[in-house]
């Protein structure tokens, strides 16, 4: 089957039932998307499907079809995406395991709501689990990214 990942159409030899997560990690070598729970409960496996966040651990690759998949690697080749920059400035990362899913969810939120409230941020990111408890810094980074995206400092 063909799969459009990060703007490149790739031939993938995978079982139709294989979760997208394992296609990305094992077949395509894109290991930025993490395995957390395997039940779509923690958010570590979040990618974008046509710009919307999706849990790749439970999404059969055959269900993707011609839709565009974006992984954390596809946001920017050098980590210069505004949300990634805000993450670094706010010093969000502790262990880092959940961060790709958190960032992908935050990017989708800011596309829908360029100036989200704290409640919007909390609601959007409530499905992303951080074992280190960096939730306050995550919210700060989303607010900073929102400001930066809108031209502020």
């Amino acid at each position: 089957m063909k799969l459009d990942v990060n703007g490149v159409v790739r031939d993938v030899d995978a079982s139709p039932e294989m979760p997208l997560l394992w296609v990305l990690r094992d077949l395509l070598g894109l290991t930025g998307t993490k395995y957390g729970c395997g039940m779509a409960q923690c958010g570590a496996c979040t990618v974008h499907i046509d710009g919307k966040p999706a849990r790749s651990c439970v999404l059969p690759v055959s269900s993707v079809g011609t839709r565009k998949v974006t992984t954390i690697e596809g946001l920017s080749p050098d980590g210069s995406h505004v949300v990634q920059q805000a993450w670094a400035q706010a010093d969000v990362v502790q262990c880092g395991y959940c961060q790709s899913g958190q960032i992908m969810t935050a990017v989708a939120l800011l596309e829908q709501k360029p100036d989200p409230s704290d409640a919007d941020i909390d609601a959007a990111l409530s499905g992303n689990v951080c074992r280190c408890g960096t939730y306050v810094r995550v919210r700060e980074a989303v607010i900073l990214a929102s400001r930066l995206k809108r031209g502020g400092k």
Side-chain angles (χ1 to χ4, degrees):
M1 71 184 74
K2 293 198 181 296
L3 201 58
D4 185 336
V5 180
N6 298 332
V8 178
V9 177
R10 303 165 189 245
D11 286 312
V12 176
D13 184 19
S15 163
E17 304 86 32
M18 185 179 214
L20 177 60
L21 173 66
W22 300 120
V23 171
L24 296 170
R25 291 182 60 80
D26 293 349
L27 301 183
L28 299 179
L30 298 170
T31 58
T33 304
K34 305 300 183 198
Y35 173 79
C37 68
M39 301 182 305
Q41 298 296 308
C42 72
C45 67
T46 303
V47 297
H48 291 176
I49 306 291
D50 280 347
K52 306 263 188 269
R55 303 295 166 86
S56 64
C57 71
V58 295
L59 186 67
V61 68
S62 60
S63 70
V64 174
T66 60
R67 297 181 294 165
K68 296 180 185 324
V69 178
T70 306
T71 68
I72 190 73
E73 294 93 343
L75 284 183
S76 67
D78 59 358
S80 62
H81 187 281
V82 68
V83 175
Q84 291 170 308
Q85 291 297 308
W87 238 250
Q89 288 180 38
D91 199 25
V92 172
V93 179
Q94 192 159 330
C95 86
Y97 198 81
C98 70
Q99 297 308 295
S100 62
Q102 297 267 11
I103 288 169
M104 295 304 286
T105 302
V107 168
L109 168 64
L110 292 173
E111 289 301 316
Q112 294 296 313
K113 294 188 175 194
D115 188 17
S117 66
D118 284 354
D120 293 331
I121 296 167
D122 292 347
L125 290 158
S126 67
N128 290 77
V129 176
C130 174
R131 292 181 185 184
C132 300
T134 64
Y135 300 109
V136 172
R137 294 194 312 253
V138 166
R139 186 184 310 123
E140 289 170 5
V142 174
I143 292 166
L144 176 58
S146 170
R147 275 199 319 262
L148 292 171
K149 252 185 116 165
R150 292 178 289 121
K153 298 244 180 209

